[in-house]
Amino acid sequence: MDMFLTALITPKTFCDDFYYSYDLEIDSDTLNESEQQAFSDLSRVSSRFSPFKEDHEKYPGAFFTENELKQKVIDTKTRLQQ
């Protein structure tokens, strides 16, 4: 999350890495309820991220923008730090 927020990796790289590490690797039983919800919410946004303006125009509301992804990462980080 920090690497994405500081622009050390691209949004696509973040989404790919998050998918591999969370969706495929994490055993959700090792997370508490709050962590599960926070990561699940982030997964929903990262899996529907598109950098393409055409996607957003053709399918309004179906995809998330880079700003929406960034905001969700910030929200998730804040939730996990509490």
Side-chain angles (χ1 to χ4, degrees), residues 20-72:
Y20 293 127
S21 63
Y22 173 72
D23 291 319
L24 297 180
E25 296 292 327
I26 293 291
D27 177 1
S28 63
D29 292 335
T30 64
L31 304 174
N32 66 40
E33 189 175 318
S34 178
E35 292 167 333
Q36 286 179 5
Q37 188 62 54
F39 284 130
S40 177
D41 292 346
L42 179 55
S43 178
R44 182 179 55 80
V45 173
S46 67
S47 68
R48 301 298 301 168
F49 164 72
S50 176
F52 304 109
K53 182 179 178 182
E54 299 82 17
D55 287 344
H56 298 278
E57 291 171 350
K58 190 171 182 178
Y59 307 103
F63 295 98
F64 292 95
T65 65
E66 183 174 343
N67 286 337
E68 291 169 319
L69 175 63
K70 186 175 184 177
Q71 188 57 55
K72 181 52 73 177

